[in-house]
């Protein structure tokens, strides 16, 4: 049996994946329109997503490579450097993926990182 709505023999597929119960409901037409608008803004030409979601372990490897200890403060400083770089770069960034630790971190002046990157 081929996975999909209809198998190659023209009968309804009955594999585990296709018969699994789902509780998904489609968003309203208005919400779909808003999601489409956001997705198009993120992938517009000349723009990209900044992946700043390095885990503690991955960040540790980056810090180790420059002889720095893997502490929350050093990770915060690294992210601050990334988020406060030249302002012109922001015109090319359409979104930022964050690691959960970053949501609670602040810049030296007390500005929360999520606010800083807006």
């Amino acid at each position: 049996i081929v996975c999909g709505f209809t198998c190659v023999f023209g009968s309804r597929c009955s594999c585990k994946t296709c018969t699994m119960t789902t509780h998904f409901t489609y968003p309203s037409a208005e919400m779909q329109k808003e999601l489409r608008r956001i997705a198009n803004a993120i992938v517009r030409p000349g723009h990209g997503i900044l992946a700043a979601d390095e885990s503690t372990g991955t960040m540790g490897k980056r810090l180790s490579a420059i002889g720095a200890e893997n502490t929350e403060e050093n990770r915060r400083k690294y992210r601050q450097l990334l988020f406060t770089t030249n302002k012109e770069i922001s015109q090319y960034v359409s979104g930022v993926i964050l690691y959960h630790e970053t949501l609670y971190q602040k810049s030296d002046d007390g500005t929360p990182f999520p606010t800083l990157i807006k």
Side-chain angles (χ1 to χ4, degrees), residues 52-56 79 97-105 114:
D53 60 337
E54 294 95 343
S55 67
T56 304
R79 292 174 179 130
I97 304 170
L98 300 175
Y99 185 61
H100 71 89
E101 178 179 71
T102 315
L103 296 173
Y104 309 102
Q105 291 178 325

Side-chain angles (χ1 to χ4, degrees), residues 48-114:
I49 298 172
L50 173 61
D53 60 337
E54 294 95 343
S55 67
T56 304
T58 301
M59 187 68 86
K61 291 175 188 174
R62 293 187 191 283
L63 294 170
S64 175
I66 60 170
E69 189 179 354
N70 185 10
T71 64
E72 183 177 359
E73 178 62 9
N74 284 341
R75 293 189 301 272
R76 186 196 69 77
K77 287 179 180 180
Y78 175 89
R79 292 174 179 130
Q80 177 176 269
L81 180 66
L82 190 63
F83 300 150
T84 59
T85 190
N86 190 325
K87 292 292 182 188
E88 283 78 37
I89 197 89
S90 67
Q91 63 186 321
Y92 303 105
V93 177
S94 57
V96 181
I97 304 170
L98 300 175
Y99 185 61
H100 71 89
E101 178 179 71
T102 315
L103 296 173
Y104 309 102
Q105 291 178 325
K106 298 176 181 179
S107 65
D108 289 341
D109 69 3
T111 305
F113 282 161

